[in-house]
């Protein structure tokens, strides 16, 4: 067991580290660790202090609220201190808080109010004589910074209160940047070659710290108010919800998702529900704040030096973490596209361990300016693919240089990588490139194509290195003896793979078409060709005009398919497949008309006649797609009950048609938009 001195020095080290992180977060707006990592340090410190109460000091970060005050803005003293919140990270901790509340109230149960925990900055607005007198940041909880001129530019913040408002009204809430505003800001920053902001919270903080309020005004900040501070001459209230209604009546923005709930079971369901739906909002949240509703019970419970005992922040699992970017590599796709990707020190984020993340293209690496050796912020939100947000500049090693796109591929042929004028992509233009060849074989065997279990990247590389497969046709010539001298490939594993290969010979024609990897030919178009022609031979021998005459097929796909089959090397592969016994004409004709071929329809909110799965299946059965988010390419957005605000807002912003359920039914039938 560690002795007392060791513990004391660990506590000292943790305190120093936490103070430094607080300084970076609150004063410099330049955190070097994610919120989750910071929370872990605080938890460790708190646990040690609980075990060794004699080591607690009044200046420990566990006893104080985060930030200090910078020299740039004037100081404002909060007459009622702005406190922080204690955190709960799971049901057990939430229940432990509930038990403390009940004990504190002498075994009386409490009713709760649950609110979204907005990921922004705490703000105090002070009105004197009905006019906005001061807006101040939280600072260290006692003294904050005067940011009145900047906050006055936020459109939802009232500049004057209605007649009859009390002489002094102080209101607290969270200033935040909506996601759409954040994305637009970063797009502007990128276009101007300026530094990108890591997330909406950081950009809100940066925007409030501007010396020129005009810049703040251009940043489209918003605010949700959640509590009165000092009020002189106001009405008396008995519970929290009443105070919120009053704030709303004075013109303050109060979040619509606030609920009064009976018991922590309901609270927990609310927390889990929002954890799942957090991305349906147009702003970021990082948890739920649970508060005791009755004000008399709040008084009874009181506060520690740092946080009230009557509230707790239920924090969601982190979607952002920092990790080391070990290297930037380039992968060559089956069409020759060279995609840079980050090799990361594995990090658990957003529900899975991430060790690779795409960096998309040359420009993205340049704009983000991420370099091997950097500590980077990695984000994995919902089912979105992992992303490198940007570097933590404060932790950049001294000897560091910007990464440049390699001009030569590191494949055995050392082919040049070229970026053509006006294009975003860098490519390998060598048709014999072994990396492209391998990527085509991997694609052929993949799930939406021939679905050959066990023939993934590693096996393809292994077989390709031994010259056993050079194109997809060679897969079917593999025999047991080819594996005899390969380490780790016994009779069982090679037998399994050969069975899976044999089984793939009877895949449906649309899968076979997709497997060939023809440019622009996706699953919806493959299905249309299969239904129209019935066999690979008929498609192969069709003219460009005949291909283009298929319902839902445009001239680009028709030309691409026609071109692919005109190349001798491709025909040779087709003949290898035929000789191996791959079936060319297995078609399950669908009776459903392909009214939505290639169209993307986003569904948000609940429909009466369809579950979410049924709505998606109906779209897909008609050849359409049903992505999770709205973009320029979205054909229509179907809106049911309780729709996601972000999707609705995005559809309106981009001018994407919005349909109700009746419009959706008509769309399924005809493929046309009503009106
Ligand atoms: S109540 C004394 N309600 O979370 C209680 N805080 O981690 C004061 N926050 O400092 C806070 N949404 O900046 C409250 N609905 C909400 C909130 C909220 C976000 C922030 C606030 C607070 C921090 C604590």
């Amino acid at each position: 067991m560690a002795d007392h001195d060791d513990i004391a020095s660990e506590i000292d080290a943790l305190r120093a580290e936490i103070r430094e992180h607080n300084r970076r977060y609150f004063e410099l707006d330049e955190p070097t660790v994610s919120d989750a990592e910071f929370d872990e340090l605080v938890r460790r410190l708190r646990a040690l202090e609980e075990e060794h109460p004699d080591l607690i000091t009044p200046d420990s970060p566990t006893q104080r609220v985060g930030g200090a005050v910078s020299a740039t803005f004037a100081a404002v003293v909060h007459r009622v201190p702005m406190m922080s919140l204690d955190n709960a990270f799971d049901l057990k901790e939430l229940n432990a808080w509930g038990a403390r509340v009940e004990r504190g109230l002498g075994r009386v149960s409490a009713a709760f109010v649950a609110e979204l925990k907005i990921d922004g900055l705490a703000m105090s607005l002070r009105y004197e004589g009905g006019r906005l007198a001061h807006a101040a940041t939280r600072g260290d909880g006692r003294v904050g910074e005067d940011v009145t001129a900047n906050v006055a530019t936020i459109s939802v913040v009232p500049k004057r209160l209605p007649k009859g408002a009390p002489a002094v009204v102080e209101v607290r809430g969270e200033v935040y940047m909506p996601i759409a505003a954040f994305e637009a800001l970063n797009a502007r920053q990128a276009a101007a070659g300026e530094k990108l902001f890591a997330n909406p919270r950081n950009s809100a903080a940066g925007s409030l710290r501007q010396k020129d309020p005009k810049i703040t005004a251009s940043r489209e900040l918003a605010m949700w108010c959640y509590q009165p501070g000092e009020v002189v001459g106001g009405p008396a209230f008995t519970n929290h919800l009443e105070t919120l209604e009053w704030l709303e009546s004075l013109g303050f923005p109060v979040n619509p998702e606030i609920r009064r709930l009976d018991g922590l079971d309901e609270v927990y369901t609310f927390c889990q529900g929002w954890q799942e739906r957090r991305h349906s909002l147009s702003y970021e949240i990082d948890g739920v704040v649970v508060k005791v509703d009755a004000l008399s019970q709040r008084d009874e419970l009181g506060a520690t030096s740092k946080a009230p005992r009557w509230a707790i922040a239920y924090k969601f699992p982190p979607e952002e973490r920092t990790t080391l970017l070990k290297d930037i590599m380039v992968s060559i796709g089956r069409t020759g596209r060279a995609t840079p990707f980050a090799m990361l020190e594995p990090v658990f984020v957003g529900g899975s361990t991430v060790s690779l993340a795409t960096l998309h293209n040359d420009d993205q690496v340049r704009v983000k300016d991420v370099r091997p050796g950097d500590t980077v912020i990695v984000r994995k939100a919902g089912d979105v693919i992992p992303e490198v947000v940007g570097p933590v500049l404060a932790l950049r090693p001294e000897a560091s240089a910007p990464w440049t796109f390699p001009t030569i591929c590191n494949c055995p042929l050392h082919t040049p990588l070229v970026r053509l004028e006006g294009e975003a992509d860098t490519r390998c233009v060598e048709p014999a490139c072994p990396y492209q060849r391998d990527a085509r074989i991997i694609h052929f065997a993949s799930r939406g194509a021939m679905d050959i279990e066990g023939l993934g990247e590693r096996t393809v590389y292994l077989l390709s290195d031994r010259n056993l497969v050079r194109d997809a046709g060679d897969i079917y010539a593999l025999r047991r003896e080819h594996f005899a001298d390969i380490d780790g490939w016994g009779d069982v594993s090679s037998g399994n793979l050969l069975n899976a290969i044999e089984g793939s010979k009877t895949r449906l024609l649309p899968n076979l078409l997709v497997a060939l990897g023809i440019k622009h030919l996706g699953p919806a178009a493959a299905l249309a060709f299969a239904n129209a022609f019935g066999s690979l031979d008929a498609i192969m021998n069709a003219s460009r005009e005949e291909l283009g005459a298929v319902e839902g097929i445009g001239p680009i796909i028709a030309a691409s398919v026609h071109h692919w089959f005109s190349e001798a090397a491709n025909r040779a592969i087709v003949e290898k497949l035929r000789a191996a016994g791959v079936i060319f004409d297995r078609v399950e004709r669908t009776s459903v008309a392909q009214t939505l071929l290639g169209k993307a329809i986003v569904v948000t909110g609940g429909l009466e006649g369809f579950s979410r799965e049924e709505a998606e299946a109906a779209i897909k059965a008609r050849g359409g797609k049903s992505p999770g988010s709205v973009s320029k390419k979205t054909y229509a957005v179907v809106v049911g009950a309780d729709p996601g605000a972000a999707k609705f807002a995005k559809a309106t912003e981009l001018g994407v048609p919005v349909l109700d359920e009746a419009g959706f039914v008509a769309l399924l039938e005809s493929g046309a938009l009503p009106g």
Side-chain angles (χ1 to χ4, degrees):
M1 213 184 127
D3 72 15
H4 202 260
D5 283 355
D6 286 346
I7 304 236
S9 66
E10 185 181 350
I11 286 184
D12 273 351
L14 279 168
R15 286 179 184 156
E17 205 177 337
I18 291 167
R19 277 193 200 107
E20 176 58 15
H21 289 318
N22 264 334
R23 194 177 73 83
R24 289 185 183 280
Y25 186 91
F26 287 106
E27 291 162 46
L28 308 179
D29 297 330
E30 205 176 271
T32 53
V33 290
S34 63
D35 289 0
E37 283 148 334
F38 177 80
D39 287 343
E40 264 167 40
L41 293 174
V42 175
R43 254 144 59 99
R44 171 84 186 133
L45 174 59
R46 198 179 296 269
L48 289 176
E49 287 180 343
E50 267 165 26
E51 275 171 38
H52 304 274
D54 56 310
L55 294 176
I56 298 181
T57 54
D59 68 340
S60 170
T62 58
Q63 312 296 307
R64 318 184 51 199
V65 174
V69 177
S70 79
T72 322
F73 296 93
V76 174
V77 176
H78 302 299
R79 304 215 194 150
V80 180
M82 284 183 85
M83 306 199 95
S84 180
L85 291 172
D86 287 334
N87 294 325
F89 292 91
D90 54 31
L91 179 60
K92 204 169 133 235
E93 292 180 2
L94 184 66
N95 281 332
W97 172 74
R100 287 199 297 279
V101 166
E102 229 178 273
R103 233 179 296 126
L105 296 174
R107 315 239 165 259
V108 172
S109 61
F112 302 105
V113 171
E115 301 178 3
L116 302 183
K117 181 161 160 33
I118 315 297
D119 201 4
L121 292 101
M123 184 63 57
S124 151
L125 308 174
R126 188 178 172 87
Y127 295 79
E128 290 171 0
R131 283 172 187 271
L132 177 64
H134 276 302
T137 63
R138 184 173 68 178
D140 66 1
R142 207 180 53 82
V143 182
E145 293 164 324
D146 184 342
V147 287
T148 314
N150 290 339
V151 169
T153 70
I154 302 176
S155 60
V156 295
V157 169
K159 312 305 169 280
R160 303 187 70 152
L161 299 184
K163 271 213 172 67
V168 174
V169 178
E170 191 209 340
V171 175
R172 282 147 189 208
E174 198 83 350
V175 169
Y176 67 93
M177 185 177 282
I179 295 167
F182 163 72
E183 284 172 355
L185 170 62
N186 260 357
R188 290 199 301 270
Q189 296 282 110
E194 301 273 345
K195 185 181 118 182
L196 299 188
F197 290 100
N199 53 45
R201 192 210 159 269
N202 278 9
S203 33
S207 304
L208 278 178
R209 285 245 161 79
Q210 295 295 325
K211 289 202 183 113
D212 178 1
K214 277 204 227 67
I215 299 183
T216 313
S218 74
R219 299 286 173 86
E220 299 169 78
L221 297 174
M223 182 172 183
W224 293 121
C225 294
Y226 46 66
Q227 179 176 65
E230 189 190 20
V231 177
V232 178
F237 300 110
T238 56
N239 64 42
H240 180 57
L241 274 191
E242 278 172 13
T243 62
L244 293 180
E245 276 163 22
W246 178 67
L247 291 181
E248 212 163 13
S249 75
L250 293 179
F252 292 102
V254 174
N255 189 279
E257 306 299 347
I258 296 175
R259 298 284 180 275
R260 185 176 199 270
L261 301 169
D262 283 318
L264 284 187
D265 285 347
E266 279 186 25
V267 167
Y268 187 58
T269 309
F270 182 91
C271 293
Q272 282 181 309
W274 277 111
Q275 190 170 314
E276 265 172 38
R277 284 179 291 139
R278 61 192 289 190
H279 298 296
S280 68
L281 295 163
S282 58
Y283 45 89
E284 292 209 326
I285 59 172
D286 59 347
V288 167
V289 183
V290 190
K291 303 174 178 179
V292 169
D293 191 26
L295 302 185
S296 59
Q297 290 186 329
R298 289 189 180 190
D299 288 344
E300 225 176 301
L301 289 164
T304 64
S305 60
K306 187 184 162 228
R309 293 199 186 85
W310 46 261
I312 189 101
Y314 178 88
K315 295 279 274 275
F316 296 153
E319 294 191 322
E320 278 185 8
R321 307 213 65 157
T322 54
T323 192
L324 177 70
L325 190 156
K326 294 194 290 194
D327 207 351
I328 299 177
M329 313 277 273
V330 169
S331 82
I332 306 292
R334 64 193 159 86
T335 61
R337 191 167 132 189
T339 307
F341 65 95
M343 295 192 49
L344 305 164
E345 189 65 44
V347 60
F348 191 79
V349 56
S352 62
T353 300
V354 173
S355 52
L356 299 175
T358 177
L359 290 164
H360 302 289
N361 58 35
D362 193 13
D363 290 343
Q364 282 286 315
V365 184
R366 225 185 287 258
V367 164
K368 290 183 177 164
D369 185 22
V370 281
R371 309 174 180 188
D374 272 348
T375 297
V376 292
I377 302 164
V378 176
R379 178 175 170 86
K380 179 162 178 286
D383 39 14
V384 177
I385 57 168
E387 186 196 9
V388 174
V389 176
V392 178
L393 288 176
L395 299 182
R396 172 166 282 168
E398 257 173 41
S400 152
W403 183 79
T404 49
F405 214 103
T407 51
I408 305 276
C409 181
N410 67 356
C411 74
L413 298 184
H414 298 302
T415 51
L417 297 176
V418 291
R419 180 171 174 187
L420 296 177
E421 188 80 28
E423 283 200 7
D425 289 331
T426 307
R427 334 191 128 260
C428 158
V429 290
E430 168 57 57
C433 163
Y435 285 7
Q436 283 184 49
R437 218 178 56 199
D438 291 350
R440 284 195 291 268
I441 299 170
I442 292 162
H443 169 78
F444 182 87
S446 67
R447 180 120 358 116
M450 298 301 261
D451 196 9
I452 304 174
E453 173 107 29
L455 194 56
E457 280 184 25
R458 278 195 17 217
T459 308
V460 169
Y461 294 149
L462 182 102
L463 297 172
S464 165
D465 285 349
R466 291 171 176 253
N467 254 327
L468 290 169
V469 291
R470 299 175 65 83
D471 63 42
D474 295 338
I475 293 172
Y476 296 96
L478 287 170
R479 299 287 170 264
R480 224 167 246 265
E481 48 275 23
H482 291 131
F483 295 88
D485 59 343
I486 309 184
D487 262 0
W489 281 82
D491 277 355
V492 176
S493 39
S494 60
N496 284 344
L497 178 60
L498 293 173
N499 279 340
I501 292 172
E502 186 62 28
S504 73
K505 291 180 180 172
T506 54
R507 294 283 177 261
L508 293 168
L509 178 54
N511 295 66
L512 175 60
L513 276 171
V514 167
L516 297 177
I518 302 171
K519 204 169 171 186
H520 304 304
L521 182 69
L527 184 64
F529 281 129
N531 283 334
F533 290 97
S535 78
L536 192 66
D537 286 294
I539 298 167
M540 185 156 67
N541 297 322
S543 68
R544 191 182 311 181
E545 292 67 34
E546 285 164 335
L547 293 169
V550 174
E551 178 75 30
I553 300 294
I556 294 176
I557 299 181
S560 175
V561 170
H562 190 258
H563 175 73
W564 195 90
F565 285 109
S566 73
E567 299 244 310
N570 295 335
R571 287 240 179 198
I573 294 173
V574 171
E575 292 316 316
K576 274 196 211 174
L577 297 177
R578 188 198 307 278
V582 173
I583 309 289
F584 279 8
D585 57 1
R586 241 196 99 205
V587 178
E588 265 175 4
R589 276 174 205 283
T590 79
S591 52
V592 184
Q594 298 295 291
T595 48
L596 299 179
L597 200 62
K599 291 175 180 151
I601 322 285
V602 175
V603 181
T604 173
L607 302 176
E608 296 204 339
F610 303 78
S611 70
R612 178 58 60 89
E613 290 73 31
E614 284 165 351
E616 279 172 13
I619 294 165
K620 287 188 183 147
R622 287 158 181 79
K625 293 176 274 202
S626 185
S629 58
V630 179
S631 75
K632 285 200 299 283
K633 293 188 187 148
T634 308
Y635 184 66
V637 175
V638 178
V639 174
D642 254 339
K647 288 179 187 157
F648 191 68
K650 192 92 189 222
T652 321
E653 181 192 321
L654 296 174
V656 173
V658 173
L659 306 179
D660 61 8
E661 186 161 349
F664 178 50
V665 172
L667 176 73
L668 289 175
E669 266 179 23
S670 67
L673 295 166

